Amino acid sequence: KENIILPGINDNEKPEEIDTILPGVDNQYDNQNKEDENFVLEQKLQTGKKLSEDGLPVLMYHFFYDKSKDSGKDGNWIEISNFEEQMKYLAENDFYFPTWEQVENYIDGKQELPEKSIVITVDDGDPSFFELAVPIIQKYKIPTTSFVITYWYGNRANDKQDYVSYQSHSYDMHKAGSNGKGVMLSWDYDKIKDDILLSRDVLGGANIFCYPFGQYNDLDIKVLKENGYRLAFTTKGGKVKKGSSKYELPRVRISGNTGIEEFKKKVE
């Protein structure tokens, strides 16, 4: 299990105020409706192969930088031209982007997904996502989920962005407790519940969760399950498969040194 501690784990304070405006929230991608999504899925399944038993890659990104202006702080930062090369590859090679409902149905064995299905997730809601990555997401029409730490970044929601949807990375649990680990591991049921429901309120609706720092325990799973969250993601490496534990889902980490050839191997 790979639980990389991201910047902020030893800082219990909210980051400095930022000017970035978090777009408004919609649980479905703005460019699609449910009928369209199911129609496209059925067409894909009728005319092509099904997703292999290797499973569904759910990609995990974090932060972005422009090398002409800055440099990445660590391996969680990807240079924006590399990100664009990756998104262009997905767009030009007919990848399919299932909705979260379709992903859950796939896990439950209720439906198949087409070959070359993929999900894009970006953790935290950092300003670099909106400033650098969102224009590329829109350019190549790549449906993407932003897992937002809503105490830090989610209280300015007012606009919408095509191809971007928002889910919870907690309200204020992306910080260390007295034991040096994420507070979600030490808080009691009611405190965790209050946090994840407040996060949902700020987002205007959320039912997918991303564990702060990838850390979780049985109580965390219980709280999410009993309060309307349907899937939860870790930082474990791997692909989502039929029958996967829906509250311990793995992802495929894309780091700053992931070149295009390695990227192709990770997504296929």
Side-chain angles (χ1 to χ4, degrees):
K1 180 175 178 178
E2 183 184 23
N3 285 337
I4 293 181
I5 304 302
L6 302 178
I9 185 66
N10 294 317
D11 183 2
N12 293 336
E13 299 301 321
K14 181 180 177 182
E16 292 182 5
E17 288 294 323
I18 57 175
D19 294 330
T20 301
I21 294 175
L22 175 67
V25 178
D26 195 316
N27 284 330
Q28 299 294 333
Y29 300 125
D30 294 334
N31 63 310
Q32 297 175 314
N33 61 45
K34 190 168 291 188
E35 291 183 1
D36 291 338
E37 291 159 355
N38 290 331
F39 175 77
V40 172
L41 175 61
E42 290 305 315
Q43 289 294 106
K44 286 276 188 181
L45 290 173
Q46 289 176 14
T47 59
K49 297 179 181 179
K50 297 176 183 178
L51 186 65
S52 74
E53 294 183 359
D54 287 343
L56 172 71
V58 177
L59 304 191
M60 174 176 55
Y61 293 90
H62 286 93
F63 313 114
F64 305 86
Y65 71 97
D66 182 341
K67 64 184 177 183
S68 69
K69 301 176 182 178
D70 201 356
S71 59
K73 297 178 178 64
D74 57 38
N76 289 310
W77 292 76
I78 183 169
E79 209 283 321
I80 197 61
S81 63
N82 293 342
F83 179 70
E84 178 163 12
E85 186 177 26
Q86 293 168 5
M87 296 303 101
K88 181 179 180 182
Y89 176 78
L90 298 179
E92 292 181 348
N93 287 275
D94 198 32
F95 277 78
Y96 178 75
F97 304 92
T99 66
W100 287 120
E101 181 179 5
Q102 291 169 350
V103 171
E104 184 177 14
N105 287 339
Y106 168 75
I107 294 170
D108 288 339
K110 295 179 180 178
Q111 69 181 89
E112 299 290 341
L113 289 176
E115 184 182 34
K116 297 202 296 187
S117 291
I118 194 167
V119 175
I120 310 297
T121 68
V122 183
D123 289 7
D124 298 343
D126 183 75
S128 66
F129 169 68
F130 301 108
E131 295 167 2
L132 297 175
V134 168
I136 290 171
I137 287 165
Q138 293 175 331
K139 177 180 179 180
Y140 294 101
K141 301 180 180 179
I142 305 292
T144 300
T145 292
S146 173
F147 284 118
V148 183
I149 305 168
T150 47
Y151 176 68
W152 292 3
Y153 302 122
N155 58 351
R156 298 180 177 135
N158 60 359
D159 295 328
K160 292 185 178 181
Q161 294 279 11
D162 290 342
Y163 301 101
V164 180
S165 66
Y166 301 91
Q167 297 290 347
S168 178
H169 200 14
S170 84
Y171 178 74
D172 188 25
M173 292 192 289
H174 205 282
K175 60 186 180 182
S178 58
N179 60 0
K181 297 181 179 180
V183 296
M184 195 173 187
L185 296 181
S186 57
W187 282 6
D188 63 23
Y189 184 102
D190 288 337
K191 199 167 184 179
I192 297 170
K193 176 183 175 181
D194 288 346
D195 181 282
I196 64 172
L197 294 185
L198 180 55
S199 176
R200 174 183 293 157
D201 288 344
V202 173
L203 290 172
N207 56 14
I208 314 296
F209 192 80
C210 174
Y211 295 107
F213 313 114
Q215 300 171 349
Y216 66 97
N217 56 29
D218 290 343
L219 177 62
D220 300 331
I221 293 174
K222 176 181 174 66
V223 179
L224 292 170
K225 199 174 205 179
E226 293 180 353
N227 289 280
Y229 282 85
R230 305 183 67 87
L231 304 173
F233 284 88
T234 71
T235 56
K236 292 178 181 178
K239 297 180 180 179
V240 173
K241 300 181 180 181
K242 292 179 182 178
S244 291
S245 172
K246 291 197 285 188
Y247 297 88
E248 300 177 278
L249 295 172
R251 288 184 289 173
V252 176
R253 180 182 294 274
I254 305 298
S255 61
N257 60 3
T258 301
I260 190 62
E261 295 305 319
E262 183 183 358
F263 179 80
K264 291 176 183 178
K265 294 178 182 178
K266 285 176 176 285
V267 303
E268 294 185 347

